[in-house]
Amino acid sequence: MSDITHSLLAASSEPTHYVRQTGDEPLAQDSPIRAKRRLQYGQIVTGLVAVALLALFVQSQAQNSNMEWAITWQYMFNPVVLQGVGVTIQLAVLAMLISIVLAFVIALMIQSNNRVASVIGRSYVWFFRGVPMLVQVLLWFNLAVLFPVILGQETNSLISGFTAGLIALSLAESGYMAEIIRGGIISVPPGQTDAGVSIGLTRNQALARIVLPQSIRVIIPPTGNQFIGMLKATSLVSVIGGSDLLTRVQLIYGQNFKILPLLIVAVLWYLILVTIAGIGQHFLERRFNASQPGSRKARKNAGAKATTTRTINGGALWHK
């Protein structure tokens, strides 16, 4: 072969490199490219059908004379009903706070290296999760049968319907919350605790400063769900006259025999309380998950950074 042929073959075997010339730079992009979403016709049809069925149901009930909506609106803000709403909120909040404190202690006992403490903690969870909450309410209300006198006073005078309901709800809920808190603690890798100990912290300090701040993100969502369940579970104390919302409603319809309209009053108030609690849970989760990867705030910050960050390359502004 000639020298020209050898040079051509060598040039063809080597990768070619494109050298950008002045003026070949792409135009600067002012905003990120966003893909256009296609219409989801299936979702649209399903939504229209659901709205139509809901409208038909609402119309049928609004025109139903047996519902007696006038009675419902008459008692919606009745002082007796509002007092019951206040007792329901008080029961739910106090029972939840007490159960969280108890559950934290029980969760630490279960995770303890002390086998006796671990067995006691697991037995506590086994018992209070196993016995139905309504049965516990009745047991505590009838505690005077076993102990007629406590601390020198009659048991019936110490444990009212409200007190019995509060004790039962707190103990029953603490069994569930102990498992939730324990799940949050074990979600943090053990190496985090070992790392804290290696820098001079005690295990308790590592738990308080390293493990718990990380586990709180895992604990909050199920805790909010449990609180919503607690709001509804307070209705169980109505069987012992706990003065809650359902108890007050039952007292009213026991006098005027307007059972269905008064039960609708209770339904509406429970829905209002659960909705408020759900909104609070939503913002609480956003507060603790704001800085985590994948959260809405993190994605927003990453997108803003990618849009505004630019580098000068060949005299043109390029978006990263």
PDB file of all heavy atoms in Angstrom, residues 160-175:
ATOM      1  N   SER A 160     -64.560   8.140  88.223  1.00  0.00           N
ATOM      2  CA  SER A 160     -65.820   8.487  87.553  1.00  0.00           C
ATOM      3  C   SER A 160     -65.807   7.903  86.149  1.00  0.00           C
ATOM      4  O   SER A 160     -64.860   7.224  85.731  1.00  0.00           O
ATOM      5  CB  SER A 160     -65.960  10.013  87.496  1.00  0.00           C
ATOM      6  OG  SER A 160     -64.892  10.582  86.757  1.00  0.00           O
ATOM      7  N   GLY A 161     -66.870   8.194  85.403  1.00  0.00           N
ATOM      8  CA  GLY A 161     -66.914   7.726  84.027  1.00  0.00           C
ATOM      9  C   GLY A 161     -65.788   8.315  83.191  1.00  0.00           C
ATOM     10  O   GLY A 161     -65.164   7.621  82.384  1.00  0.00           O
ATOM     11  N   PHE A 162     -65.517   9.600  83.390  1.00  0.00           N
ATOM     12  CA  PHE A 162     -64.440  10.248  82.649  1.00  0.00           C
ATOM     13  C   PHE A 162     -63.086   9.653  83.017  1.00  0.00           C
ATOM     14  O   PHE A 162     -62.258   9.356  82.147  1.00  0.00           O
ATOM     15  CB  PHE A 162     -64.450  11.750  82.932  1.00  0.00           C
ATOM     16  CG  PHE A 162     -63.362  12.510  82.230  1.00  0.00           C
ATOM     17  CD1 PHE A 162     -63.554  13.007  80.956  1.00  0.00           C
ATOM     18  CD2 PHE A 162     -62.135  12.729  82.867  1.00  0.00           C
ATOM     19  CE1 PHE A 162     -62.545  13.710  80.305  1.00  0.00           C
ATOM     20  CE2 PHE A 162     -61.131  13.433  82.223  1.00  0.00           C
ATOM     21  CZ  PHE A 162     -61.339  13.924  80.939  1.00  0.00           C
ATOM     22  N   THR A 163     -62.840   9.462  84.324  1.00  0.00           N
ATOM     23  CA  THR A 163     -61.554   8.926  84.774  1.00  0.00           C
ATOM     24  C   THR A 163     -61.340   7.507  84.285  1.00  0.00           C
ATOM     25  O   THR A 163     -60.249   7.150  83.813  1.00  0.00           O
ATOM     26  CB  THR A 163     -61.475   8.962  86.306  1.00  0.00           C
ATOM     27  OG1 THR A 163     -61.761  10.287  86.769  1.00  0.00           O
ATOM     28  CG2 THR A 163     -60.099   8.544  86.777  1.00  0.00           C
ATOM     29  N   ALA A 164     -62.379   6.670  84.399  1.00  0.00           N
ATOM     30  CA  ALA A 164     -62.267   5.286  83.926  1.00  0.00           C
ATOM     31  C   ALA A 164     -61.988   5.245  82.428  1.00  0.00           C
ATOM     32  O   ALA A 164     -61.161   4.464  81.957  1.00  0.00           O
ATOM     33  CB  ALA A 164     -63.551   4.517  84.252  1.00  0.00           C
ATOM     34  N   GLY A 165     -62.679   6.102  81.672  1.00  0.00           N
ATOM     35  CA  GLY A 165     -62.435   6.149  80.231  1.00  0.00           C
ATOM     36  C   GLY A 165     -61.027   6.610  79.906  1.00  0.00           C
ATOM     37  O   GLY A 165     -60.376   6.074  79.007  1.00  0.00           O
ATOM     38  N   LEU A 166     -60.529   7.612  80.638  1.00  0.00           N
ATOM     39  CA  LEU A 166     -59.186   8.121  80.401  1.00  0.00           C
ATOM     40  C   LEU A 166     -58.132   7.054  80.688  1.00  0.00           C
ATOM     41  O   LEU A 166     -57.189   6.879  79.908  1.00  0.00           O
ATOM     42  CB  LEU A 166     -58.948   9.356  81.271  1.00  0.00           C
ATOM     43  CG  LEU A 166     -57.567  10.012  81.164  1.00  0.00           C
ATOM     44  CD1 LEU A 166     -57.311  10.501  79.756  1.00  0.00           C
ATOM     45  CD2 LEU A 166     -57.449  11.151  82.169  1.00  0.00           C
ATOM     46  N   ILE A 167     -58.292   6.334  81.803  1.00  0.00           N
ATOM     47  CA  ILE A 167     -57.325   5.284  82.139  1.00  0.00           C
ATOM     48  C   ILE A 167     -57.345   4.181  81.088  1.00  0.00           C
ATOM     49  O   ILE A 167     -56.294   3.726  80.609  1.00  0.00           O
ATOM     50  CB  ILE A 167     -57.623   4.711  83.536  1.00  0.00           C
ATOM     51  CG1 ILE A 167     -57.433   5.782  84.612  1.00  0.00           C
ATOM     52  CG2 ILE A 167     -56.740   3.502  83.823  1.00  0.00           C
ATOM     53  CD1 ILE A 167     -57.857   5.342  85.999  1.00  0.00           C
ATOM     54  N   ALA A 168     -58.539   3.747  80.707  1.00  0.00           N
ATOM     55  CA  ALA A 168     -58.651   2.655  79.741  1.00  0.00           C
ATOM     56  C   ALA A 168     -58.086   3.044  78.381  1.00  0.00           C
ATOM     57  O   ALA A 168     -57.332   2.284  77.764  1.00  0.00           O
ATOM     58  CB  ALA A 168     -60.118   2.234  79.605  1.00  0.00           C
ATOM     59  N   LEU A 169     -58.429   4.238  77.908  1.00  0.00           N
ATOM     60  CA  LEU A 169     -57.934   4.673  76.605  1.00  0.00           C
ATOM     61  C   LEU A 169     -56.417   4.846  76.622  1.00  0.00           C
ATOM     62  O   LEU A 169     -55.735   4.492  75.653  1.00  0.00           O
ATOM     63  CB  LEU A 169     -58.611   5.984  76.201  1.00  0.00           C
ATOM     64  CG  LEU A 169     -60.118   5.926  75.928  1.00  0.00           C
ATOM     65  CD1 LEU A 169     -60.660   7.330  75.654  1.00  0.00           C
ATOM     66  CD2 LEU A 169     -60.434   5.012  74.750  1.00  0.00           C
ATOM     67  N   SER A 170     -55.883   5.391  77.709  1.00  0.00           N
ATOM     68  CA  SER A 170     -54.444   5.617  77.791  1.00  0.00           C
ATOM     69  C   SER A 170     -53.670   4.307  77.791  1.00  0.00           C
ATOM     70  O   SER A 170     -52.680   4.146  77.059  1.00  0.00           O
ATOM     71  CB  SER A 170     -54.103   6.419  79.049  1.00  0.00           C
ATOM     72  OG  SER A 170     -54.774   7.660  79.057  1.00  0.00           O
ATOM     73  N   LEU A 171     -54.107   3.355  78.604  1.00  0.00           N
ATOM     74  CA  LEU A 171     -53.391   2.087  78.694  1.00  0.00           C
ATOM     75  C   LEU A 171     -53.511   1.284  77.406  1.00  0.00           C
ATOM     76  O   LEU A 171     -52.534   0.683  76.936  1.00  0.00           O
ATOM     77  CB  LEU A 171     -53.921   1.281  79.875  1.00  0.00           C
ATOM     78  CG  LEU A 171     -53.661   1.878  81.269  1.00  0.00           C
ATOM     79  CD1 LEU A 171     -54.285   0.992  82.346  1.00  0.00           C
ATOM     80  CD2 LEU A 171     -52.173   2.041  81.511  1.00  0.00           C
ATOM     81  N   ALA A 172     -54.705   1.258  76.837  1.00  0.00           N
ATOM     82  CA  ALA A 172     -54.886   0.504  75.596  1.00  0.00           C
ATOM     83  C   ALA A 172     -54.056   1.104  74.462  1.00  0.00           C
ATOM     84  O   ALA A 172     -53.416   0.381  73.691  1.00  0.00           O
ATOM     85  CB  ALA A 172     -56.367   0.470  75.219  1.00  0.00           C
ATOM     86  N   GLU A 173     -54.056   2.425  74.371  1.00  0.00           N
ATOM     87  CA  GLU A 173     -53.307   3.082  73.291  1.00  0.00           C
ATOM     88  C   GLU A 173     -51.804   2.959  73.494  1.00  0.00           C
ATOM     89  O   GLU A 173     -51.048   2.886  72.517  1.00  0.00           O
ATOM     90  CB  GLU A 173     -53.699   4.563  73.221  1.00  0.00           C
ATOM     91  CG  GLU A 173     -53.099   5.311  72.054  1.00  0.00           C
ATOM     92  CD  GLU A 173     -53.540   4.780  70.709  1.00  0.00           C
ATOM     93  OE1 GLU A 173     -54.651   4.239  70.616  1.00  0.00           O
ATOM     94  OE2 GLU A 173     -52.755   4.903  69.747  1.00  0.00           O
ATOM     95  N   SER A 174     -51.359   2.926  74.734  1.00  0.00           N
ATOM     96  CA  SER A 174     -49.918   2.827  74.982  1.00  0.00           C
ATOM     97  C   SER A 174     -49.342   1.520  74.451  1.00  0.00           C
ATOM     98  O   SER A 174     -48.169   1.468  74.066  1.00  0.00           O
ATOM     99  CB  SER A 174     -49.632   2.942  76.487  1.00  0.00           C
ATOM    100  OG  SER A 174     -50.222   1.864  77.198  1.00  0.00           O
ATOM    101  N   GLY A 175     -50.164   0.466  74.422  1.00  0.00           N
ATOM    102  CA  GLY A 175     -49.690  -0.794  73.845  1.00  0.00           C
ATOM    103  C   GLY A 175     -49.367  -0.658  72.371  1.00  0.00           C
ATOM    104  O   GLY A 175     -48.366  -1.209  71.884  1.00  0.00           O
TER     105      GLY A 175
END
